[in-house]
Amino acid sequence: MGKRSVIPFGPQHPVLPEPIHLDLVIEDETVVEAIPSIGFVHRGLESLTDKKDFNELVYIIERTCGICSYMHGMGYCEAVERVMKVQIPDRSRFLRTVWAEMSRVHSHLLWLGLLADAFGFEALFYQSWRLRERVLDMFEESTGGRCIFSVNKIGGQLKDVPDDMLKAFSVKFTELEKEIRVMAKTFLEDYTVNKRLKGVGILTKEQALEMGALGPFARGSGVRYDLRETGYAAYPELDFEMCVEKDGDCYARTKVRIEEIFQAISLIRQAIDKMPGGEIAVPVKGNPMGEYAMRLEQPRGEGVYYIKGNGTKFLDRVRLRTPTFANIAPMVQTLKGCKLSDVPLYILSIDPCISCTER
Amino acid sequence: MNKVYDPVQTNRNVEPENLIEEVRKKRADGKRLLQMFASYIEKHYELVYCFDEGDYRLENIHVVADRSTVVPSVSDIYPYAAPYENEACELFGVKINVPMDGYRHRLYKIAEDAPYVSPYDHDEDSEEHEEEEDGE
Amino acid sequence: MKDVSKSPWIIHYDGSSCNGCDMEVLASLTPVYDIERFGVINTGDPMQADIFLVTGGINTLNQMVVKQIYDQMPSPKVVVAIGTCACTGGIFKECYNIIGGTDTTIPVDIYVPGCAARPQSIIDGIVQAKECLKQKCIAEQKAAKEGK
């Protein structure tokens, strides 16, 4: 029986750019228990429902997180549109799908870069972020912003994208896909990368179902659950297959995310080919009355947006449940029994977004 | 799983005494707890427990409690419900007996107690609202 | 004390930011925008850093952390507040938990506005911070000579 000591990890640490605090109880370099405590990024967004009306809340909800910012705005707008029974035009549905899938590509490339930095391969970190800049340039051309776009509004979109720009994006994505395939070979086949990733951080399918894991974290363990099958935005008219792996270790989750990048690029090309013409927004009258919980597939998993209106322009309650909040409990479970030097890899394999968790 | 477009959502009201029984039935059927949260509307709390019914359908169980009701904790049935219950206790002041192990009952570590509670009447003309009142 | 403004090292802390400005700070270090050509390296150790980049507003919990990192840095040091939330509190100023911008806790030398602040502005801010650091080094050397 070795000696036990407690090592505090965070909030300022070189692994993640975000503050998270963990108390690691270790016994001879093996982690026995991990106790998380959050609250450094807590701003208290949901208490702003009595100061801003439901149209202005879009801007606040978008700034919950800078990486998944588009999906937050989209989820909130879809929830309010379902409560108010507003049908958005077809072109707006397809534009939302294109931007949402572009968001997924840039978020997964960001994660691949941070993962490479965590196991010490800095050149690969720079390569993936260099490729990610191409996606951000496309965002800037179409919306004007690199992280926070503010193109969603209740009833549709604020900005339209001309068709020749969309065709140019389709060509750019085809070239980008070839470069990502070359880079993905290093992640999946290099000998040293495999040694760091295979067999590390195993979460079995039963554990994933019992602890409520979500997103690529659960799909790497064999759980078939992807909210894009529920048919919001333009997904009923596009065709895609869920990416699922069986092994449940960090390598399987990396493979799921890399496959999702290619699938997202294919969905973008399909949506651009089928893009209908027409207007991009409908006028919205009245105030929301009733409640609805909208569920979306964010890059990190399933996000739930619950709103409750009472007929006035101030909502009763807005509640976002982001996927990292649900993934923290299974992550703490997988940390038991790992080596101290692997802790950054375990934390990164759920793709944590702490500002989404704490709002 | 097959593609299910626009899945159905149902809402149901349950008394605080019957909550544990309902949650045990859900666990026995293998349903997943999606989330749990609290709202403060017109001077009483409304707790909502969302369950996934399979095939992406959703069932929301609403529990109405006032400021002195003690709501039983579901963390021994669903262990990962502890962070959600901690959040409801710390931000809203709901009385739930959350177990002490794991998250130490102070997940958020904020300076004020129950900062989300503010008795704001949703009149069209009313403009004033007070900050948190003196609750326990 | 020699002139450290030729190759200042930076330390970056995120205090209640939404991650937009943090990702832009990290994007400035990567090949397309590359502030490493100014001699800058991102370190995780406050005792070896010269420039402190803060993003996000200050809330009751991280006020202590920011002060502690600032106190651990050796002087001369320069603080750069990146993003609207670090300058004044931003769109979240009315939230109950946010006290304000970074200047409520530590003295700030350079403000870089934007939501999220673009890499071009961040590079401009860091180049001006280098200049500011050089002035502080010269002032310190002068004070040391006159003190003797």
Side-chain angles (χ1 to χ4, degrees):
Chain A
M1 176 88 168
K3 210 163 70 104
R4 285 198 174 192
S5 42
V6 176
I7 296 205
F9 178 91
Q12 191 258 322
H13 50 79
V15 169
L16 285 181
E18 295 169 290
I20 178 175
H21 183 82
L22 282 176
D23 279 316
L24 300 169
V25 179
I26 63 168
E27 189 179 298
D28 285 345
E29 289 268 335
T30 312
V31 174
V32 167
E33 212 189 318
I35 305 165
S37 78
I38 58 180
F40 293 95
V41 195
H42 180 62
R43 291 153 284 175
L45 300 183
E46 295 168 359
S47 64
L48 285 182
T49 48
D50 45 356
K51 296 189 177 100
K52 307 233 178 237
D53 62 50
F54 70 97
N55 280 317
E56 293 172 346
L57 266 183
V58 184
Y59 302 120
I60 305 252
I61 303 272
E62 267 185 350
R63 283 161 171 83
T64 309
C65 174
I67 312 174
C68 357
S69 141
Y70 187 75
M71 301 271 206
H72 284 310
M74 179 170 143
Y76 173 77
C77 288
E78 296 251 338
V80 175
E81 283 157 10
R82 276 168 215 231
V83 167
M84 295 175 76
K85 311 238 185 319
V86 168
Q87 186 70 20
I88 56 175
D90 283 334
R91 188 174 172 94
S92 171
R93 279 192 302 128
F94 274 81
L95 278 176
R96 279 187 183 175
T97 311
V98 169
W99 275 320
E101 293 299 318
M102 280 167 72
S103 240
R104 197 183 307 273
V105 172
H106 107 80
S107 172
H108 284 329
L109 281 174
L110 189 152
W111 179 79
L112 283 173
L114 288 180
L115 182 77
D117 196 30
F119 55 70
F121 203 150
E122 259 192 59
L124 204 51
F125 162 49
Y126 286 159
Q127 284 298 327
S128 24
W129 280 51
R130 182 181 67 92
L131 294 176
R132 179 183 167 248
E133 290 289 327
R134 306 255 190 92
V135 182
L136 294 185
D137 283 341
M138 284 193 253
F139 271 131
E140 201 172 0
E141 256 187 79
S142 52
T143 64
R146 285 165 50 104
C147 320
I148 313 259
F149 319 130
S150 296
V151 280
N152 276 320
K153 71 168 184 175
I154 302 191
Q157 311 293 117
L158 282 171
K159 271 196 170 86
D160 197 0
V161 184
D163 283 328
D164 47 355
M165 197 189 280
L166 287 172
K167 298 268 181 313
F169 284 178
S170 199
V171 171
K172 284 184 198 171
F173 267 112
T174 315
E175 293 164 9
L176 184 65
E177 186 180 350
K178 291 191 203 130
E179 298 195 37
I180 297 181
R181 279 197 196 271
V182 170
M183 191 189 74
K185 256 177 87 163
T186 312
F187 273 104
L188 297 175
E189 293 171 20
D190 187 69
Y191 175 73
T192 44
V193 175
N194 280 359
K195 274 284 205 186
R196 282 308 291 264
L197 290 180
K198 278 199 175 157
V200 159
I202 296 192
L203 186 78
T204 59
K205 188 171 177 183
E206 291 75 30
Q207 277 177 325
L209 284 170
E210 196 182 297
M211 312 262 344
L214 297 170
F217 187 53
R219 291 201 281 276
S221 303
V223 175
R224 296 192 64 89
Y225 198 82
D226 186 331
L227 260 303
R228 287 176 283 179
E229 293 193 334
T230 58
Y232 58 92
Y235 291 105
E237 283 126 43
L238 306 174
D239 118 92
F240 80 104
E241 274 299 314
M242 229 194 283
C243 313
V244 176
E245 293 284 321
K246 291 196 314 287
D247 296 327
D249 55 3
C250 283
Y251 181 80
R253 291 171 214 144
T254 309
K255 193 151 186 231
V256 165
R257 288 185 174 109
I258 290 180
E259 294 294 319
E260 283 192 358
I261 296 181
F262 298 128
Q263 184 197 71
I265 294 182
S266 141
L267 279 170
I268 293 172
R269 281 206 292 256
Q270 286 178 46
I272 291 181
D273 284 336
K274 295 187 179 166
M275 175 85 62
E279 39 178 47
I280 51 169
V282 290
V284 168
K285 294 198 208 1
N287 294 327
M289 177 87 188
E291 59 186 325
Y292 193 80
M294 175 71 203
R295 305 201 281 158
L296 280 191
E297 183 72 19
Q298 285 189 6
R300 288 159 179 80
E302 167 198 25
V304 185
Y305 300 86
Y306 172 88
I307 67 152
K308 182 167 176 155
N310 57 8
T312 62
K313 61 181 181 155
F314 294 98
L315 293 176
D316 258 343
R317 181 76 166 108
V318 170
R319 155 76 183 196
L320 331 174
R321 198 292 309 261
T322 47
T324 313
F325 200 98
N327 275 338
I328 282 191
M331 172 190 90
V332 164
Q333 179 71 22
T334 55
L335 272 177
K336 296 186 181 164
C338 79
K339 296 269 173 233
L340 188 60
S341 54
D342 280 334
V343 167
L345 270 183
Y346 280 62
I347 297 180
L348 268 181
S349 72
I350 64 167
D351 205 353
C353 186
I354 306 296
S355 55
C356 277
T357 312
E358 301 183 15
R359 293 156 277 125
Chain B
M1 238 182 260
N2 301 324
K3 301 194 181 198
V4 176
Y5 294 156
D6 267 337
V8 165
Q9 290 190 7
T10 48
N11 290 305
R12 221 170 15 120
N13 274 338
V14 155
E15 296 297 314
E17 302 87 43
N18 304 337
L19 175 67
I20 293 281
E21 235 183 85
E22 295 280 336
V23 174
R24 261 193 237 273
K25 265 193 257 179
K26 296 276 182 196
R27 182 74 191 199
D29 292 337
K31 306 280 160 67
R32 185 172 65 103
L33 174 71
L34 270 187
Q35 62 162 339
M36 172 261 162
F37 62 92
S39 321
Y40 184 72
I41 300 170
E42 295 188 11
K43 303 201 185 351
H44 60 258
Y45 294 123
E46 186 177 326
L47 304 173
V48 182
Y49 295 76
C50 300
F51 288 95
D52 179 32
E53 299 278 307
D55 277 346
Y56 304 115
R57 280 170 292 134
L58 206 60
E59 174 159 52
N60 303 334
I61 293 187
H62 294 247
V63 174
V64 173
D66 58 20
R67 299 189 69 142
S68 53
T69 318
V70 176
V71 181
S73 159
V74 303
S75 316
D76 37 2
I77 313 175
Y78 282 103
Y80 57 90
Y84 298 112
E85 294 186 333
N86 266 313
E87 191 189 332
C89 286
E90 290 174 28
L91 296 179
F92 285 88
V94 184
K95 293 188 168 27
I96 304 184
N97 298 327
V98 192
M100 289 295 277
D101 62 331
Y103 300 103
R104 287 197 186 146
H105 203 64
R106 291 293 289 170
L107 186 68
Y108 271 97
K109 296 205 268 219
I110 45 179
E112 307 169 23
D113 259 335
Y116 275 24
V117 168
S118 90
Y120 179 47
D121 287 333
H122 289 283
D123 285 342
E124 316 250 317
D125 307 328
S126 144
E127 271 177 63
E128 21 137 10
H129 64 275
E130 299 153 35
E131 288 294 291
E132 34 156 9
E133 49 173 38
D134 300 31
E136 285 78 41
Chain C
M1 174 67 169
K2 295 225 166 81
D3 181 11
V4 292
S5 70
K6 292 272 182 179
S7 111
W9 282 15
I10 56 178
I11 178 170
H12 161 241
Y13 180 65
D14 166 7
S16 93
S17 148
C18 73
N19 286 336
C21 294
D22 303 317
M23 293 304 145
E24 299 294 69
V25 165
L26 284 184
S28 319
L29 289 163
T30 53
V32 179
Y33 293 103
D34 201 13
I35 50 174
E36 291 199 347
R37 56 195 150 120
F38 297 110
V40 158
I41 290 188
N42 189 11
T43 170
D45 184 2
M47 300 197 189
Q48 294 180 354
D50 306 297
I51 301 186
F52 186 18
L53 301 179
V54 190
T55 53
I58 298 286
N59 66 20
T60 46
L61 202 55
N62 62 28
Q63 192 172 30
M64 222 176 45
V65 179
V66 170
K67 187 109 191 37
Q68 203 175 20
I69 298 179
Y70 181 73
D71 288 337
Q72 280 182 342
M73 286 168 67
S75 92
K77 50 195 166 185
V78 170
V79 176
V80 182
I82 294 190
T84 316
C85 291
C87 296
T88 55
I91 199 173
F92 301 117
K93 186 121 174 65
E94 297 166 334
C95 292
Y96 76 93
N97 209 17
I98 295 282
I99 300 176
T102 318
D103 49 15
T104 52
T105 318
I106 52 179
V108 173
D109 299 294
I110 310 241
Y111 295 87
V112 178
C115 183
R118 287 169 187 260
Q120 290 95 335
S121 317
I122 295 176
I123 294 178
D124 194 17
I126 291 189
V127 168
Q128 290 190 16
K130 272 183 65 158
E131 203 38 59
C132 192
L133 190 61
K134 187 168 177 170
Q135 302 300 324
K136 288 195 181 182
C137 280
I138 294 178
E140 243 183 48
Q141 284 172 10
K142 227 173 155 179
K145 268 196 199 141
E146 283 164 9
K148 279 191 190 152

